Structures are given as C-alpha cells and as structure tokens.
Amino acid sequence: MDRIFPMTRDAGLDRLSAFLAEAGADYAASRNTDRGVQARPTTSALSPYLRRRLITEAEVVAAADSAFGDGGAEKFVSEVFWRTYFKGHLETHPAAWTDFLALAAADRTRLAAEPGLRRTYERAVEGRTGIDGFDDWVRELVETGWLHNHARMWFASIWIFTLRLPWALGADFFLRHLVDGDPASNTLSWRWVAGLHTRGKHYVARAENIRRYTEGRFDPAGLDEYPDSLDESNPPREIALPRADAAPAGPVALLLHLDDLHPESLPLGDARVVRVGGLVAHAPGASDPVRAADAAAMADALARAAAHFGCPAGPVAPDWSDAHPVVTAWAPVGPSADALPAECLRVRRSWDEIAWPLATRGYARVKKAIPQLLPH
Ligand SMILES: Cc1cc2nc3c(=O)[nH]c(=O)nc-3n(C[C@H](O)[C@H](O)[C@H](O)COP(=O)(O)OP(=O)(O)OC[C@H]3O[C@@H](n4cnc5c(N)ncnc54)[C@H](O)[C@@H]3O)c2cc1C
C-alpha cells in the first residue's frame, strides 16, 4: 500500500497544490467515493497536516477559494469547517473526551473478563471478521494510517451496530492508528455514528451504499441495517469557552506542541521570541508510525521556527526557556493540553476565537456563519 505522508509543511503545501490542480474541481461530486488505496484520493488527504497545523485552515481555505473562485470551493470549505466545529464543540464539552478515555479503559477491563467480547474484538482489530470491506479497511488503516471519510463512517457503524462492539474501543483503535488522529474529530465522529452526538440520529452503514461508493469493490453481507441508536444517561455537559491569554511584549520563550506547528503565523503581538522548545505529547497508545509522524512534524516545525525567529530551537529540556515568560499556541482538549506546564500563556488564533463560540450545539450555526468567518 503506497499512501505516504511525509510530515513537513512543504509536503503539506505540495499536497494542497496537487489537490487544487487535480481532484479539487470534482470534489463536490466525487468526495463520497472511496476508490481505495491504489487510486488517487477523491478528497484532499490534507488531514494529517491540518491536524498538526503544519498548514492552517485559513491558508487551505484561502487557496481553495482563489483556485475555484466565488462559490466554487463551497463544499470543500464547509468540510474544513467541520474540523473547526468539532474542535469548538469539544472545547465546550471536554467531558466528551474524558468520558471516552474512562469508557475505553473500562471496556479494556471488560475484554480481559469476557472471552466472547474479546474474541469478537480480536477478530475485528485483526481484520478477520469475514465482512467484505471491513477487514480491508482494518489493513488499510494499520498499514497506511489513513482512511477515506466514508470508509471511516462505514467502519464505525459496522463496529457498533453489526459487531456490537463498544464504540469507545473503536474510537481508541482509530486514535492509535490514524496519522491524523484527533481527539475532537475522532471522538465526536464516533459519537455521531453511534447516535450520541446528535441524540437518536445514528449513521447506519448499508451494503448498497458501500457497493455504490466503492464502485463495486466491496459487497458486504450480514450487516445489521436497522439497529437502534445508542443512548447514554449523562451526556457531556457544556462549559464556557476558557479564555485565552495575550502574549506579553518583549522577549519570550515559545513552546510548540503537536496541535499547532505553524509558529510563523501565531498572533504574538509585540512578543519577541528568543527561545523555542518543542513538546511532543502523543495520543494515548499511538502506534509507531503515528509517533514517527509526530516526531517528524515537530522536527520540521522546530527547524522552521529557528530560521524564522533567528534563535535556538529544540526539544524542551530543563531550563530551556532561560527564565523568559513561556508563550504557546492554544492547545485544544487532548494530550498536548494535558502536558503543557501550568504557568504558560496560551494565545488563540482568531480563526478559533471567532468560530468556537458558535460550536456549542450542532454544525448548522457554524455553517451559516462561514461567510463571516472567512478571513477577508
Ligand atoms: C469515525 C470517524 C473518525 C474520524 N476521525 C478523525 C480524526 O481522528 N482526525 C481527523 O482529522 N478527522 C477524522 N474524521 C473526519 C474525516 O474522516 C477526516 O477529516 C477526512 O476523512 C480527512 O480526509 P481529507 O483530508 O481528504 O478530507 P477532505 O474531504 O479533503 O476535507 C478537508 C479537510 O476538512 C476536514 N474535514 C473533512 N471532513 C471532515 C469531517 N467529517 N469531520 C471533521 N473534519 C473534516 C479535515 O481537516 C480535512 O483534512 C473522522 C470521521 C469519522 C466518520
């Protein structure tokens, strides 16, 4: 399988240019079709870069807009805002993440105690269910670290409703192997498929739909096509969006983390960066390829930061900040946020500052505001 994601900003920009020049024009019509790993993707495959902000949502959307003109990029831009929506939603419902972690831990304990469940789980994660498509997506995910969006939806739906496995174990499996693994998009998408995000509205994978959008590559039998959605007694509570800080004027030490690796465009005001440190906090249980991708992305960002700010840059070590105030990009809910030192100042990009407060309920509010949210 030959899908490779070199984890540098330049590679992300190359992929963006190639997408805009090739598949981009057909995006709205063909984005739901998954032609498999040997074919050119029908979507941008920019998620590993956007997830780490090696390239930013603002520049991707601006490039698509200028390539396709007024309205031509509408569907693509709307998809990019799904990412923003999920980020904002998790910031205001952080219990969705902590509950997921707790559920996954409890489900792993169940695996040890319940042999039937363990056998079904092992068959699923080893791609031995016998379900056409599902077993192939397991291999594709483990070997390439990426799946088409539609394959992710089918996979999650079959996992939950046909195999009747706990959704949190599926989300955990994705997070370990996806090279774009993201606490917000992953957790909330699994919750959405299960019918927990939009309560009672679940996503049901149907054989006819899989046949059609894989162009006949897969024709699974035995799917449960009429299941009930899942339910929960304590949905995650909404909290107020935590406030960001302003960067102080004068010399600062800039801390980079895996949620924002484009320090060149951070809103740093009159701060002068004199030191740069990199903090790598992987997703829980991240596979070796995901760890390698994280390390490569951080190395790329540190090298760019050293050149851009003209100062030393390297992994965080004792006294790396040289007693300067430490400033960092806002780290959304997830491993980076948990690993940041308490005393650092967290600045937020205007993209997030404007969109996140609209993300407390469904996507419609964000979607409606897109024309105002776009940088002018
Ligand atoms: C069960 C499940 C789990 C998922 N887990 C993740 C995850 O861990 N990380 C992740 O980045 N995405 C996740 N997604 C969302 C989506 O599948 C991927 O973002 C998308 O497939 C990436 O491919 P692309 O870059 O070619 O997208 P394109 O269609 O080219 O879209 C451009 C960008 O918009 C954003 N985007 C597009 N669709 C979605 C979507 N449905 N939700 C959120 N953002 C979107 C992504 O940043 C993407 O790179 C998940 C979806 C499902 C159904």
Side-chain angles (χ1 to χ4, degrees):
M1 295 198 182
D2 60 354
R3 193 183 286 129
I4 298 165
F5 296 98
M7 275 293 112
T8 63
R9 173 169 164 78
D10 283 349
L13 292 173
D14 287 349
R15 190 173 278 271
L16 173 60
S17 308
F19 168 68
L20 296 178
E22 296 162 15
D26 294 333
Y27 179 81
S30 60
R31 57 177 284 274
N32 282 328
T33 301
D34 179 10
R35 300 204 173 101
V37 73
Q38 305 300 345
R40 188 182 71 183
T42 51
T43 60
S44 69
L46 284 170
S47 48
Y49 303 95
L50 283 166
R51 187 264 172 263
R52 298 176 177 83
R53 278 196 166 150
L54 281 170
I55 56 177
T56 66
E57 294 87 338
E59 64 188 328
V60 166
V61 160
D65 236 26
S66 79
F68 301 121
D70 230 12
E74 200 177 334
K75 189 65 197 162
F76 179 70
V77 169
S78 162
E79 291 305 312
V80 174
F81 271 100
W82 267 100
R83 170 180 166 73
T84 306
Y85 163 69
F86 280 141
K87 280 292 180 200
H89 195 85
L90 196 63
E91 287 306 281
T92 52
H93 298 78
W97 171 247
T98 45
D99 289 354
F100 151 66
L101 292 175
L103 260 181
D107 290 337
R108 276 193 293 273
T109 308
R110 280 184 62 199
L111 287 181
E114 298 176 34
L117 182 70
R118 187 169 65 243
R119 270 195 301 276
T120 310
Y121 173 80
E122 284 171 354
R123 275 202 295 269
V125 298
E126 290 165 13
R128 293 187 291 105
T129 63
I131 299 175
D132 199 24
F134 185 93
D135 293 346
D136 305 78
W137 298 319
V138 170
R139 276 190 292 282
E140 187 177 337
L141 173 63
V142 172
E143 289 173 25
T144 74
W146 197 82
L147 285 179
H148 184 280
N149 180 59
H150 223 158
R152 296 182 200 210
M153 291 161 60
W154 295 321
F155 183 109
S157 183
I158 293 170
W159 178 284
I160 297 169
F161 298 119
T162 293
L163 297 172
R164 304 208 165 266
L165 284 165
W167 74 266
L169 287 181
D172 172 75
F173 181 59
F174 263 29
L175 201 55
R176 280 189 279 132
H177 291 287
L178 279 172
V179 76
D180 63 19
D182 181 81
S185 289
N186 191 54
T187 312
L188 298 178
S189 294
W190 275 85
R191 287 178 54 83
W192 175 81
V193 170
L196 297 171
H197 182 71
T198 312
R199 239 173 147 182
K201 282 197 177 171
H202 50 325
Y203 174 77
V204 180
R206 301 214 153 85
E208 193 279 327
N209 182 266
I210 295 173
R211 265 196 313 275
R212 175 160 162 217
Y213 286 105
T214 60
E215 298 181 334
R217 285 186 303 122
F218 302 124
D219 187 9
L223 303 189
D224 185 344
E225 301 201 357
Y226 299 94
D228 291 332
S229 71
L230 302 191
D231 202 359
E232 63 191 347
S233 42
N234 288 313
R237 244 181 359 100
E238 182 181 332
I239 62 158
L241 184 65
R243 286 167 67 97
D245 304 304
V252 300
L254 181 64
L255 181 57
L256 302 185
H257 54 72
L258 293 174
D259 288 82
D260 198 315
L261 293 177
H262 192 235
E264 298 93 322
S265 62
L266 280 175
L268 293 174
D270 293 326
R272 191 165 47 81
V273 176
V274 295
R275 290 277 183 288
V276 180
L279 177 69
V280 172
H282 304 290
S287 67
D288 287 344
V290 170
R291 285 168 177 264
D294 288 343
M298 178 57 80
D300 178 66
L302 286 170
R304 278 185 286 108
H308 182 79
F309 297 112
C311 71
V316 286
D319 302 325
W320 72 276
S321 66
D322 204 18
H324 294 295
V326 177
V327 174
T328 192
W330 186 269
V333 168
S336 297
D338 292 344
L340 286 178
E343 67 281 5
C344 61
L345 299 160
R346 299 160 198 228
V347 300
R348 201 145 61 204
R349 291 174 185 273
S350 60
W351 182 276
D352 301 332
E353 194 68 31
I354 299 168
W356 284 357
L358 304 175
T360 52
R361 296 276 190 275
Y363 175 64
R365 211 161 145 224
V366 171
K367 186 170 182 182
K368 202 162 146 217
I370 288 176
Q372 287 87 56
L373 294 172
L374 293 177
H376 294 290

